Amino acid sequence: MHTPLLARVLRYAALQADRDGIAPTPIAGLVAIRVNERSALTSQIARPLACLVLQGSKQVSTGGQTLTFHAGDSLLIMADVPTLSQITQASSATPYCSLVLDLNPAVIADLATDMAMIEDTTDAPVRSAPTDAHLTDTALRLMGLIERPAALPVLQASLIREFHYWLLAGRHGAAVRRLGLPDSHVRRVARAVALLRTDYARRLPVEQLAGLAGMSPSSFHQHFRAVTSLTPLQFQKQLRLIEARRLMLADGVNASTAAHAVGYESVQQFTREYGRMFGLPPVRDVSAAHERLHAA
């Protein structure tokens, strides 16, 4: 536990966080999080990021992989992937607290040219590692900049660069490095993922996605699954279900309308797949979410 960093993040988030506990900072891509209770299951499309868990615990699932992160752990997400997450340990006395930084491929590419290559044999998109002391120290100095606005434009770029350096020097450095390689499988698959994220509601032939990635269909399928832990069809299905859930919760549409809006022709199929992903059929899931909101 890095007490000075925890205290600083808690203090900042207490003043700046929204109702969900999210507190953006003046430093682009850096977010403080403070949540006072265990959360419901949350679905989202994660982006490449590093999350330093400072207090409490969180569980994250993608594909068939589920990891639990405790205070002192770092959560690393190496690709744009659908995730299900839940804060599993938090209270008003000891809130869940973390600091999240989006990973910057340009910074990674620049640093990687001067660093030795680290071997890595796994393509897992979500990873765990004990938080390095150098990383925590850099994060503490980043948070300190927020209290010195005049220093922000002068010093933030160098500290962001240092933060990325320690990630590259760590146990998952090879995976971080791949984010900065313009022709890596990660970056090439990301082109197809960008299309899936915008056009998830329509049928997208694998040949079209493979063409965007500059691969043959068979090679694309292999590398897509290695990068995201999902097939392209599974990825699109999860995108559709996540968006349908958002439509029902945020816009109040019914299950049938949401199903058709995201590209399902069969409401029965939508209901089955929704229940498999979120644990409850659509109507019961939305009702439970509203009950939790009213209770809060």
Side-chain angles (χ1 to χ4, degrees):
M1 176 88 62
H2 194 283
T3 304
L5 179 59
L6 171 63
R8 186 160 274 172
V9 174
L10 284 173
R11 183 170 66 247
Y12 179 83
L15 296 173
Q16 303 295 335
D18 61 18
R19 62 183 296 174
D20 296 318
I22 310 299
T25 73
I27 298 171
L30 184 69
V31 175
I33 299 174
R34 173 181 177 146
V35 179
N36 293 335
E37 60 185 3
R38 287 166 54 100
S39 71
L41 201 63
T42 301
S43 54
Q44 65 182 58
I45 309 301
R47 60 198 180 277
L49 58 80
C51 172
L52 279 56
V53 179
L54 304 173
Q55 185 166 270
S57 62
K58 184 173 189 174
Q59 191 173 82
V60 178
S61 300
T62 183
Q65 180 189 24
T66 299
L67 295 173
T68 300
F69 302 87
H70 303 284
D73 292 335
S74 289
L75 155 64
L76 300 174
I77 297 182
M78 303 300 184
D80 295 80
V81 288
T83 62
L84 294 175
S85 62
Q86 184 174 24
I87 292 169
T88 53
Q89 184 182 347
S91 68
S92 56
T94 55
Y96 169 81
C97 179
S98 63
L99 189 66
V100 179
L101 180 69
D102 291 346
L103 300 182
N104 187 318
V107 173
I108 292 168
D110 186 48
L111 284 167
T113 58
D114 297 323
M115 296 180 67
M117 178 71 76
I118 301 171
E119 291 297 325
D120 184 28
T121 58
T122 175
D123 290 306
V126 178
R127 297 165 179 241
S128 172
T131 303
D132 181 85
H134 297 295
L135 198 62
T136 349
D137 177 65
T138 308
L140 178 63
R141 285 181 282 129
L142 272 170
M143 289 302 297
L145 276 186
I146 295 170
E147 299 170 6
R148 304 287 297 272
L152 268 174
V154 179
L155 298 179
Q156 65 174 310
S158 61
L159 285 178
I160 292 291
R161 182 179 172 86
E162 183 180 342
F163 191 100
H164 283 77
Y165 171 83
W166 293 119
L167 288 175
L168 281 162
R171 63 187 292 186
H172 297 302
V176 176
R177 177 191 290 263
R178 287 198 291 269
L179 290 172
L181 300 176
D183 202 40
S184 69
H185 294 142
V186 174
R187 296 288 291 276
R188 292 165 73 180
V189 165
R191 299 174 205 158
V193 167
L195 180 63
L196 282 165
R197 292 186 69 162
T198 56
D199 288 353
Y200 56 82
R202 69 182 179 91
R203 182 178 175 275
L204 292 168
V206 70
E207 293 78 10
Q208 181 181 357
L209 297 171
L212 273 176
M215 302 178 188
S216 69
S218 60
S219 177
F220 171 73
H221 195 279
Q222 175 188 347
H223 289 301
F224 190 97
R225 184 156 197 165
V227 169
T228 68
S229 78
L230 299 165
T231 68
L233 185 60
Q234 290 170 331
F235 192 100
Q236 185 176 32
K237 182 190 298 183
Q238 292 198 15
L239 288 177
R240 288 177 170 180
L241 293 171
I242 287 171
E243 175 60 13
R245 191 172 196 250
R246 188 198 67 78
L247 288 172
M248 290 185 290
L249 290 174
D251 299 345
V253 306
N254 60 36
S256 176
T257 301
H260 290 124
V262 300
Y264 276 89
E265 296 180 1
S266 166
V267 177
Q268 289 77 15
Q269 181 186 1
F270 167 73
T271 301
R272 285 195 306 271
E273 293 180 352
Y274 188 102
R276 281 198 292 266
M277 182 165 178
F278 296 114
L280 290 171
V283 174
R284 287 174 57 193
D285 180 50
V286 171
S287 176
H290 287 157
E291 287 176 7
R292 287 191 298 268
L293 181 61
H294 292 151

